[in-house]
Amino acid sequence: MSIDTSTTQRHHRSAPAPLVRPDYRQRMQLADTLQVLCIVSVALVVALFLADGGAARFATPADALTSIGVLAGLVGTDLLLIMMLLAARLPAIDRAFGHDSAMALHQSLGKPALYLILAHAVLLIVGYSLAGKISVFAEVWRMLTVLPDMVLAFVGLGLLVLVVVSSIVIVRHRLPYEVWHIVHLLSYVAVLASLPHQLTVGALLAAGSPQWFYWLALYVGVAGSILVFRFILPVVRSLRARLRVEGVDRVADGVVSIRLSGHNLRRLQAHSGQFFIWRFWTPGLWWQAHPFSLSAAPTGTSLRITVRSLGDASAALGGLRRGTRVSVEGPYGLFTDRARTSPRLVLVAAGIGVAPIRSLLETATFLPGQATVILRSHTVGDSYLAYELAELCRARGAEFRIIAGTRPPGVNSWLPADALAARVSLKTLVPHLRDADVYVCGPRRWTDEVVRDARAAGLPTRQIHCERFDW
């Protein structure tokens, strides 16, 4: 049988089970507020269009196309700015949605924003060509040679198309992460390149008007957020923390744990289960940033991550020398005990997804018998940090299971073939599943299958927390 079960010793229960609800309601209120602000921002740009008399400019086909094109450009640009805020790592967004959800929303807005911007360009070109009674090609040439800042606008549009195409799953999986990341940074250039023509072409955003000040405030607010939270704050925190590599420990073939030391690390306000974006200042690695989760509870003087070799860059981390300087962005993510809503706890991990699960188990709040840890692997020998997990489970009174084996071909499941044949599911593995919060970390498709199993067992979304190892 592929299910290897290890149950901890029984502990005396001297107190009732605690119901852990640290700030769930406040987080939901913050999430609702941010969503309302996004809707309001779109409504405001529509209001700007209407206040400028946009609704009255539909008398001719040329006017109608031009008006719709202007509106599409306003809404599309607003969505682009929202996307940039979602990726700016603002603390409020991270607390409300978590990194995974924020980036999923960021990606989902990409195509609608691009379609609106493309519609903006096409509709204006056709509308102006009809009004001037010239060909579409002649109108494009007129725009580029006569109208101010239109060359920048077309450059911005081309860059935006490049960024969105690189984000399509089938394309980005063929690109190294670093290349994809650099291409994505071009979105900043694309948005900035499009700004001048918005202010100089047409009367809607005339200099000195209220809508002009509002539009500039949007750009300044987004740019300031990116500058502060993506660049300035990480540099300040890294200089203050003085992080250095303390040692590198081999866990398994191609897997190492990197121990780091620093100064007054509690000021980072990191929690077990969260991740940082790490930069190791050594030749060949200094230009690369790596998102790795903590694999041990953070202390005032130390942090630890566990890394699996999945490419040349991550493989080189095993050779880091003691004393190597390290800078970080973060911490990020809602994969923490603070997101709990239920007294019981179920932790499910696959592969290197064990890292945040292991750190979370170390500090999570639960009584003996209230937690279950499930480690999924191809073989028992491939179960990373299994010994540490077993020791922690024994010390804290949690149940520990290793589920080993390969999945059946052509079947979508997070379980191996013989477990499926025995009709094993998350509900059969954890009888009190409905009274638990489930934390899942592993590859994207595998994680999605665990989440699907949890939902099939009747768990509401608020009790399911996941981190997917995918960019």
Side-chain angles (χ1 to χ4, degrees):
M1 188 68 179
S2 64
I3 302 178
D4 176 23
T5 305
S6 174
T7 306
T8 61
Q9 63 188 24
R10 297 187 180 276
H11 292 248
H12 176 66
R13 302 184 184 182
S14 57
L19 186 61
V20 185
R21 297 181 185 273
D23 57 357
Y24 176 77
R25 182 172 297 176
Q26 292 88 340
R27 181 163 64 86
M28 290 298 99
Q29 290 174 346
L30 177 60
D32 290 343
T33 300
L34 293 175
Q35 291 180 65
V36 168
L37 288 175
C38 289
I39 295 171
V40 168
S41 73
V42 176
L44 280 175
V45 298
V46 175
L48 292 179
F49 172 78
L50 295 175
D52 190 56
R57 291 193 287 269
F58 283 82
T60 66
D63 287 342
L65 290 174
T66 302
S67 295
I68 296 172
V70 170
L71 183 59
L74 289 171
V75 176
T77 302
D78 191 72
L79 292 181
L80 281 176
L81 295 176
I82 292 173
M83 287 178 63
M84 296 178 76
L85 278 179
L86 288 169
R89 311 246 163 68
L90 272 67
I93 292 176
D94 196 57
R95 286 197 306 270
F97 303 106
H99 179 77
D100 260 19
S101 297
M103 293 311 297
L105 180 57
H106 167 88
Q107 292 171 8
S108 69
L109 291 176
K111 288 183 180 179
L114 176 63
Y115 295 155
L116 286 168
I117 298 297
L118 287 174
H120 165 72
V122 171
L123 290 172
L124 286 184
I125 291 170
V126 175
Y128 287 157
S129 68
L130 288 176
K133 297 181 180 179
I134 59 176
S135 71
V136 168
F137 298 105
E139 178 57 35
V140 171
W141 179 251
R142 186 189 74 86
M143 284 182 167
L144 291 173
T145 57
V146 177
L147 297 181
D149 305 312
M150 288 306 298
V151 173
L152 277 176
F154 276 91
V155 169
L157 178 61
L159 290 175
L160 184 61
V161 171
L162 176 63
V163 170
V164 174
V165 169
S166 72
S167 298
I168 299 174
V169 175
I170 193 171
V171 174
R172 66 179 183 159
H173 281 182
R174 296 179 181 177
L175 295 174
Y177 171 78
E178 290 77 17
V179 174
W180 175 84
H181 185 67
I182 290 171
V183 170
H184 236 58
L185 291 178
L186 293 176
S187 61
Y188 298 150
V189 181
V191 173
L192 287 176
S194 69
L195 178 59
H197 92 281
Q198 297 170 21
L199 303 177
T200 56
V201 178
L204 176 60
L205 300 176
S209 64
Q211 55 267 33
W212 182 83
F213 284 107
Y214 171 74
W215 203 245
L216 277 184
L218 282 182
Y219 270 82
V220 171
V222 172
S225 298
I226 293 170
L227 183 64
V228 169
F229 293 105
R230 291 298 303 270
F231 298 99
I232 295 177
L233 192 57
V235 170
V236 171
R237 285 178 170 174
S238 295
L239 291 175
R240 229 166 30 189
R242 292 179 252 169
L243 278 169
R244 294 182 182 272
V245 173
E246 187 67 23
V248 179
D249 304 316
R250 181 181 178 278
V251 174
D253 289 340
V255 181
V256 295
S257 286
I258 302 172
R259 291 177 284 110
L260 305 111
S261 61
H263 174 72
N264 199 10
L265 299 183
R266 297 199 187 279
R267 295 177 70 176
L268 294 175
Q269 298 181 344
H271 297 275
S272 295
Q274 289 188 303
F275 73 95
F276 288 86
I277 297 176
W278 308 81
R279 192 179 299 274
F280 298 90
W281 293 94
T282 188
L285 290 176
W286 63 268
W287 62 280
Q288 297 172 334
H290 305 270
F292 296 133
S293 298
L294 297 173
S295 63
T299 72
T301 58
S302 66
L303 301 174
R304 192 187 79 167
I305 56 176
T306 299
V307 180
R308 181 184 176 190
S309 174
L310 296 174
D312 294 339
S314 54
L317 295 176
L320 285 172
R321 295 183 178 181
R322 182 177 181 182
T324 299
R325 292 187 65 95
V326 183
S327 58
V328 294
E329 293 179 46
Y332 302 124
L334 275 176
F335 202 73
T336 69
D337 197 47
R338 299 171 67 184
R340 288 267 298 283
T341 64
S342 307
R344 295 181 180 273
L345 179 65
V346 178
L347 306 175
V348 190
I352 203 61
V354 69
I357 292 294
R358 191 263 179 223
S359 67
L360 188 57
L361 176 65
E362 192 172 352
T363 57
T365 304
F366 60 86
L367 292 178
Q370 289 186 324
T372 300
V373 179
I374 300 173
L375 192 54
R376 178 75 173 87
S377 61
H378 290 295
T379 66
V380 175
D382 292 335
S383 304
Y384 311 132
L385 301 179
Y387 178 77
E388 293 186 20
L389 282 172
E391 289 297 313
L392 277 172
C393 287
R394 188 174 297 111
R396 302 211 58 196
E399 186 176 11
F400 181 43
R401 297 175 179 266
I402 297 178
I403 302 181
T406 57
R407 286 181 285 179
V411 177
N412 293 326
S413 174
W414 67 280
L415 291 164
D418 49 357
L420 286 177
R423 297 191 176 182
V424 173
S425 66
L426 196 58
K427 187 175 182 180
T428 61
L429 291 169
V430 187
H432 301 287
L433 184 64
R434 295 290 294 274
D435 300 323
D437 274 53
V438 176
Y439 288 74
V440 191
C441 189
R444 177 172 292 274
R445 291 183 180 178
W446 178 88
T447 299
D448 290 342
E449 290 302 321
V450 181
V451 171
R452 188 175 292 110
D453 194 358
R455 286 178 176 161
L459 249 66
T461 302
R462 69 174 181 272
Q463 290 176 227
I464 303 174
H465 319 273
C466 55
E467 288 283 356
R468 299 173 175 88
F469 284 2
D470 190 10
W471 50 269

